[in-house]
Amino acid sequence: ETGVTQTPRHLVMGMTNKKSLKCEQHLGHNAMYWYKQSAKKPLELMFVYNFKEQTENNSVPSRFSPECPNSSHLFLHLHTLQPEDSALYLCASSQDHTSGAIEQFFGPGTRLTVL
Amino acid sequence: KQEVTQIPAALSVPEGENLVLNCSFTDSAIYNLQWFRQDPGKGLTSLLLIQSSQREQTSGRLNASLDKSSGRSTLYIAASQPGDSATYLCAVKRSQFYFGTGTSLTVIP
């Protein structure tokens, strides 16, 4: 595997379900990100982890819970979601997030549908 | 808060035409600007990265320019092909990355 991978690619869940999204990067980076992409809206940054420490949490509802066990893996745990949470969830990675100019690399995304 | 705008939202051109996509941002204090391509339902593919000290970057038929003082960047695509059809996004980095809503490009054979 190369680059940034995400699983599953598609997920349909009910509002009472619990599920997790997984992201893995094979680029030796130290920062990982979760974004939400909804139709007609800019990408919304949800969480940033830098050297396994969470550095950004952009007022994301508690029904989304991130986990970063090491610099290569990132999870997004989902529970009691709402239909408006349906979107494409993108994972990205980069070198140290606090460095000035850095390049982000994205995974293919997980298309989430909440019924 | 940084705001990033991309105009036009959609663009349709005949194959072979040269075209320019625009990106503007409100706060010129950025570290870099990155252009991405996104195919329907897929992730973002990095096309070009311009550091704040640079004026332009080139890769194949793509050329991106940056005018930080005016808060503008352009992505020039030469001799467009149907395979260039996609949504093109720009993002600027300061404390975090800020994205535009993209330009949806269709190249007609």
Side-chain angles (χ1 to χ4, degrees), chain B residues 82-100:
Chain B
D84 295 330
S85 298
T87 296
Y88 291 80
L89 295 151
C90 68
V92 296
K93 163 97 176 15
R94 181 65 184 180
S95 58
Q96 59 174 276
F97 291 89
Y98 296 90
F99 285 80

Side-chain angles (χ1 to χ4, degrees), chain A residues 9 33 35 37 40-43 45 56 58 88 90 97 99-109 111, chain B residues 4 31-32 34 36 38 41-49 51-52 89 93-97 99-101:
Chain A
R9 297 292 311 278
Y33 310 78
Y35 287 92
Q37 187 176 36
K40 309 295 184 188
K41 294 174 69 175
L43 265 72
L45 179 64
E56 299 278 349
N58 279 359
L88 182 67
L90 292 163
H97 176 66
S99 296
I102 55 174
E103 187 172 7
Q104 275 197 319
F105 296 85
F106 281 79
R111 171 65 63 185
Chain B
V4 181
Y31 288 125
N32 61 254
Q34 194 169 356
F36 296 89
Q38 185 175 30
K42 302 289 180 63
L44 279 63
T45 300
S46 180
L47 297 174
L48 290 165
L49 174 74
Q51 313 276 11
S52 62
L89 295 151
K93 163 97 176 15
R94 181 65 184 180
S95 58
Q96 59 174 276
F97 291 89
F99 285 80
T101 50

Side-chain angles (χ1 to χ4, degrees), chain A residues 38-52:
Chain A
S38 305
K40 309 295 184 188
K41 294 174 69 175
L43 265 72
E44 300 173 54
L45 179 64
M46 300 175 72
F47 302 103
V48 180
Y49 277 82
N50 204 44
F51 291 93
K52 300 187 296 178

Side-chain angles (χ1 to χ4, degrees), chain A residues 5-114:
Chain A
T5 59
Q6 290 186 243
T7 55
R9 297 292 311 278
H10 300 273
L11 178 62
V12 179
M13 59 187 289
M15 289 190 286
T16 58
N17 291 160
K18 289 185 179 182
K19 296 286 185 183
S20 295
L21 309 185
K22 178 183 176 182
C23 176
E24 184 173 0
Q25 59 95 2
H26 309 269
L27 299 169
H29 288 160
N30 295 305
M32 296 187 76
Y33 310 78
W34 279 118
Y35 287 92
K36 176 184 179 182
Q37 187 176 36
S38 305
K40 309 295 184 188
K41 294 174 69 175
L43 265 72
E44 300 173 54
L45 179 64
M46 300 175 72
F47 302 103
V48 180
Y49 277 82
N50 204 44
F51 291 93
K52 300 187 296 178
E53 298 295 321
Q54 188 179 123
T55 59
E56 299 278 349
N57 177 340
N58 279 359
S59 303
V60 180
S62 60
R63 57 185 183 270
F64 294 91
S65 174
E67 178 189 1
C68 187
N70 54 61
S71 292
S72 299
H73 294 85
L74 184 65
F75 296 88
L76 188 62
H77 303 300
L78 317 171
H79 63 98
T80 60
L81 294 191
Q82 304 298 312
E84 60 264 30
D85 296 322
S86 299
L88 182 67
Y89 287 84
L90 292 163
C91 174
S93 72
S94 73
Q95 294 294 349
D96 183 356
H97 176 66
T98 60
S99 296
I102 55 174
E103 187 172 7
Q104 275 197 319
F105 296 85
F106 281 79
T110 295
R111 171 65 63 185
L112 173 67
T113 302
V114 181

Side-chain angles (χ1 to χ4, degrees), chain B residues 43-86:
Chain B
L44 279 63
T45 300
S46 180
L47 297 174
L48 290 165
L49 174 74
I50 310 178
Q51 313 276 11
S52 62
S53 59
Q54 298 174 320
R55 298 284 292 184
E56 65 179 322
Q57 282 287 338
T58 298
S59 176
R61 294 183 294 108
L62 305 180
N63 176 277
S65 68
L66 175 63
D67 183 343
K68 211 172 65 159
S69 61
S70 67
R72 302 173 83 156
S73 175
T74 61
L75 179 66
Y76 174 83
I77 302 177
S80 59
Q81 302 170 358
D84 295 330
S85 298

Side-chain angles (χ1 to χ4, degrees), chain B residues 23-35:
Chain B
C23 172
S24 61
F25 45 96
T26 54
D27 185 350
S28 62
I30 63 170
Y31 288 125
N32 61 254
L33 183 144
Q34 194 169 356
W35 280 96

